[in-house]
């Protein structure tokens, strides 16, 4: 791939309704930042998060909020000090007296992209001034295992052990345990009732968390924010509904799913008409609990669901680690109208503590604007944001890079506020 | 001046005793960072500070700690997000509910270097998400006054007003007031007993603060730190003494001063002998309370003090804003053995909250290694640190740029711990 430009081209730049919204964001920056401070005081943010955004020019919305983010290796090296400082503040907030951090990663031992992420995450914590070691839940890791990475770095995985009510590796049992494993299969027995501070708490794992609960909170947050800056929340908020009792493999519940899809498409069309949007509505159907883009489908015509072939049914049945999806979320598809050399580009924003610490674009040459970019077997080129998303420049036009990045940082933080409310709800007895 | 290299040449690199110290700093990074966390938990850092360092290769020490730092415009633009985040944390710590910050600057209205600093400081606070306006104490500012800066930016100064127990400008009386004025002439009446949060408190102004009190705290901090990493504190700690009752104009107290200088030079020579340093000791004599490099003198031979000409006597008498210096601090001179194209280079490290947010070198072509670089009428070229001082790289040699910058960040934070202890002492009833 040739050298990428710093910022993807936005087809609708400077003419879509988002231009007016971006102007509002710039003009009301102090009010917005004050509102975020107030939100994170009353409901503290989870330790970290990444948010997948879609920018259609007429709508800028989060489509997925990951509370066990990978991909830290894709952030711009120039922004690492920002992440290091945010790590310091996050650890001080949750676990002020710790001197070390144990990371519990996903079980992948051959996914080098993931391991590069893990290595970067560990070095951010080390640079923040904490001892850091990686405790693997993977039964294949029976002794300290050094893995050479394509970047030239070496990552050492160690077998997790439990000693009374603490987990650790060999002689290292620090107060803080950072989960970089989304717990799709539930809470491993070794983590049950440990006395250490788990970041984030295991209740935020995908065995327990649902996308629909997140987007229900998000809807309220978007409404409150829209009231604050006096605009229509639709610009930030993807419509969605859920559907239970689906078994794609056995063909159960498909009629009801088609029915729900028809209804949501009608709602989207009504909103498109109201906002004078001349695009064809589409949907994303995915497991309500789960991650990694498995079991994700774009739906332009609900009747396609009646005629899924064996492969497609199988794909929709296999959530991560072999889970079947019984409940799906049906989400308004948000077009990606940002392109780099004709390839679609989806922004991903990273936050640690309540600070935006950077982001990157997933630039994917083989897909079109309606596809889910985070799909099985996808290959993307990361294009790091050169900008920290916190320095808008009112002298530039609303779509200039620092201002577009600021808008991304604002919408991503709206999703972070929603995640903070999930966290607060989980803390209730 | 031709394009400057990223890092000045250190004449003694890789052979001086500091090499061993830098190795210790790298090897014990987690322990050091843990120690700093503990220090700033028990004695919180002042809102911001800059520390002038000298690097002699055989000694790396702070020579001045400014709690009303100027020069923010000299920091590297790439590191601004770090400063913005630190501002957010600092303001949240001292004044969590404020939505605005009033800056009270120095009275200079024609010093464009200072005004560029002020403009950068204001924009850091604005980018941190706070409304910000500048309230001038200068009686010449009777109405909002816009000043065009060489950088193309415009800075607006407004006359400070008081309304009951709050200060502000026109309709802006926020909870947080940031002092960028070192209060050399005392606390202005308009600031007396205000109910707003003053950052830092007026007691840290130079009318009240003394360099000797700072370096007394610093000595203790350096000793504790040296115990932590098991080394000789002398490597970080400039010897000093004080001398009262000096009137250079009238020639009073000069004999006593010469005597004190002789004694301190002897002490330095003894330390040089003990550390096998083959350099001629020298001293810096300056007002114990004061700033801006006025009344600062290098002393190689104390007898020169007996023969000061009229100009030199006048210079030593005129502290900032016409104060006479009655008490001086006599400080071990620390050679500057860092050079850029044969010009000496003095590092200055900036901190906001307890985070190092960057720094720059004062590169001065017309002075030699023993001169005070921050002298009246001096002209320097700022050379911004390209590095945030928080990412040492153990794979590189101890004097590689990220590692040398890390050492600067450590020593500057030792001075910040000393300043935090001054602050804690001032908070006592």
């Amino acid at each position: 791939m040739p050298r990428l430009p710093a910022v993807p081209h936005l087809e609708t730049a400077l003419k879509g309704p988002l231009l007016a919204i971006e102007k509002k964001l710039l003009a009301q920056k102090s009010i917005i930042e004050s509102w975020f401070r107030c939100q994170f005081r009353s409901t503290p943010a989870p330790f970290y998060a990444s948010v997948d955004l879609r920018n259609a020019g007429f709508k800028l919305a989060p489509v997925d909020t990951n509370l066990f983010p990978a991909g830290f290796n894709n952030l711009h090296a120039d922004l690492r000090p920002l992440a290091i400082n945010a790590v310091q503040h996050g650890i001080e907030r949750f676990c002020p007296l710790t001197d070390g951090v144990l990371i519990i990663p996903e079980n992948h031992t051959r996914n080098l992209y993931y391991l590069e992420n893990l290595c970067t995450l560990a070095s951010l914590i080390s640079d923040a001034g904490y001892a850091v070691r990686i405790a693997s839940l993977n039964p294949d890791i029976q002794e300290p295992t050094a893995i050479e990475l394509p970047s030239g770095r070496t990552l050492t995985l160690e077998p997790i052990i439990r000693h009374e009510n603490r987990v650790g590796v060999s002689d290292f049992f620090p107060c803080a345990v950072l989960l970089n494993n989304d717990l799709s299969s539930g809470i491993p027995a070794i983590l049950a009732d440990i006395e250490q501070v788990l970041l984030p708490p295991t209740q935020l794992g995908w065995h327990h968390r649902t996308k629909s609960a997140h987007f229900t909170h998000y809807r309220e947050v978007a409404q409150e924010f829209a009231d604050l800056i006096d605009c229509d929340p639709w610009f930030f908020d993807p419509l969605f509904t859920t559907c239970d009792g689906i078994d794609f493999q056995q063909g159960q519940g498909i009629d009801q799913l088609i029915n729900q899809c028809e209804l949501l498409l009608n709602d989207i069309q009504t909103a498109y008409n109201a906002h004078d949007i001349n695009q064809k509505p589409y949907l994303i159907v995915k497991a309500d609990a789960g991650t990694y883009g498995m079991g994700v489908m774009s739906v332009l015509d609900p009747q396609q669901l009646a005629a899924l072939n064996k492969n497609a049914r199988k794909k929709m049945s296999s959530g991560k680690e072999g889970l079947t999806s019984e409940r799906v979320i049906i989400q308004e598809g948000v077009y990606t109208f940002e392109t780099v050399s004709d390839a679609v580009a989806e922004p991903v924003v990273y936050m640690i503590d309540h600070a935006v610490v950077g982001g990157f674009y997933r630039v994917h040459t083989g897909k079109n604007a309606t596809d889910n970019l985070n799909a099985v077997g996808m290959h993307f080129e990361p294009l790091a944001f050169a900008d920290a998303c916190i320095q808008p420049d009112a002298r530039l036009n609303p779509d200039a890079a620092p201002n577009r990045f600021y808008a991304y940082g604002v919408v991503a933080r709206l999703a972070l506020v929603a995640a903070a409310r999930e966290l607060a709800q989980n803390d209730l007895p």
Side-chain angles (χ1 to χ4, degrees), chain A:
Chain A
M1 182 175 278
R3 190 175 158 77
L4 297 168
V7 187
H9 173 66
L10 180 59
E11 290 174 32
T12 56
L14 296 181
K15 53 181 180 153
L18 269 184
L19 186 72
I21 302 288
E22 290 191 359
K23 275 186 188 159
K24 272 182 195 276
L25 297 182
L26 292 177
Q28 302 189 60
K29 189 182 67 168
S30 292
I31 291 167
I32 292 168
E33 296 300 324
S34 167
W35 183 83
F36 276 121
R37 283 195 294 274
C38 180
Q39 293 300 319
F40 292 123
R41 263 199 307 273
S42 57
T43 45
F47 180 77
Y48 57 4
S50 69
V51 175
D52 292 357
L53 300 176
R54 291 293 188 101
N55 189 352
F58 58 83
K59 185 159 194 162
L60 169 61
V63 296
D64 209 357
T65 301
N66 193 338
L67 300 182
F68 304 89
F72 280 102
N73 52 315
N74 294 323
L75 303 184
H76 202 296
D78 285 354
L79 300 179
R80 285 176 45 104
L82 197 60
I84 293 166
N85 258 23
V87 165
Q88 290 170 334
H89 285 287
I91 296 176
E92 274 185 55
R93 182 158 61 87
F94 285 106
C95 199
L97 296 178
T98 197
D99 284 332
V101 176
L102 186 79
I103 303 180
I104 299 181
E106 297 287 349
N107 283 350
H108 320 309
T109 55
R110 290 189 198 85
N111 180 339
L112 294 173
Y113 297 109
Y114 178 74
L115 296 176
E116 289 281 8
N117 156 68
L118 192 56
C119 193
T120 300
L121 181 60
S123 72
L124 290 175
I125 295 167
S126 169
D127 284 343
Y130 294 88
V132 60
R133 289 164 75 175
I134 300 170
S136 178
L137 295 164
N138 189 328
D140 295 345
I141 303 294
Q142 289 290 332
E143 57 187 20
T145 305
I147 301 173
E148 301 283 334
L149 300 180
S151 60
R153 302 180 293 179
T154 302
L155 183 74
T156 300
L157 304 178
E158 299 180 70
I160 193 168
I161 52 178
R162 181 158 176 159
H163 185 63
E164 292 178 351
N165 288 326
R166 293 175 91 94
V167 289
V169 291
S170 69
D171 57 347
F172 185 71
F173 293 78
C175 297
V177 177
L178 181 64
L179 281 176
N180 198 243
N181 179 315
D182 65 21
L183 305 180
S184 288
S185 341
I187 303 177
I190 200 168
L191 296 183
D193 302 320
I194 61 170
E195 68 187 30
Q196 291 147 301
V197 174
L198 262 173
L199 302 174
T202 52
Q203 294 92 317
L204 290 185
W206 277 126
H207 67 288
H208 185 260
R209 187 175 172 238
T210 61
K211 295 182 171 74
S212 55
H214 175 71
F215 281 101
T216 300
H217 283 295
Y218 181 81
R219 173 144 303 163
E220 291 174 15
V221 173
Q223 179 67 58
E224 294 166 31
F225 181 75
D227 290 346
L228 178 80
I229 66 165
D230 188 23
C231 76
D232 184 341
W234 183 83
F235 291 113
F236 308 115
D237 188 18
L239 304 188
F240 74 93
T241 185
T242 57
C243 191
D244 272 309
I246 314 286
D247 185 335
F248 284 99
Q249 198 80 304
Q250 304 295 328
Q252 283 169 3
I254 305 297
D255 286 350
Q256 194 197 347
L257 176 62
I258 291 172
N259 193 31
Q260 291 293 328
C261 285
E262 300 277 13
L263 291 171
L264 189 60
L265 280 173
N266 278 342
D267 289 347
I268 299 169
Q269 186 63 60
T270 303
Y272 276 19
N273 293 344
H275 291 90
D276 206 18
I277 308 298
N278 198 10
Q279 297 287 343
K280 186 168 164 51
Y282 76 101
L283 304 170
I284 295 289
V285 176
K286 52 191 172 185
D288 197 22
T291 184
Y292 274 121
M294 290 181 173
V296 175
M297 189 165 38
S298 293
V299 176
L300 277 154
D301 173 5
Q303 290 309 321
Q304 76 189 69
L305 294 167
L308 290 181
N309 64 23
K310 195 177 158 190
N311 270 349
R313 288 203 309 269
K314 180 146 185 282
K315 188 179 151 196
M316 287 307 291
S317 302
S318 63
K320 194 186 162 206
E321 294 181 8
L323 298 179
T324 57
S325 18
E326 300 205 321
R327 180 187 165 101
V328 298
I329 179 170
I330 309 165
Q331 195 177 39
E332 174 186 353
V334 181
Y335 284 90
T336 299
F337 283 153
E338 287 186 284
T339 55
V340 177
S341 318
D342 293 331
V344 294
E346 183 189 42
V348 192
V349 176
Y350 283 72
M351 289 158 294
I352 297 176
D353 197 44
H354 50 250
V356 177
V357 298
F360 69 93
Y361 283 99
R362 289 199 187 96
V363 179
H364 191 85
T365 48
K367 301 241 172 189
N368 65 32
T370 62
D371 283 336
N372 170 52
L373 291 186
N374 192 12
V376 179
M378 72 168 181
H379 176 74
F380 65 83
E381 294 287 331
L383 170 59
F385 293 1
D387 191 287
C389 307
I390 58 178
Q391 287 184 89
D393 187 338
R395 294 170 304 181
L396 304 178
N397 76 54
D399 191 57
N403 296 336
R404 199 195 301 174
F405 285 133
Y406 180 66
Y408 291 171
V410 168
V411 176
R413 280 182 290 167
L414 295 179
L416 188 67
V417 172
R421 293 184 184 184
E422 288 178 75
L423 181 60
Q425 206 159 52
N426 273 293
D427 276 352
L428 293 177

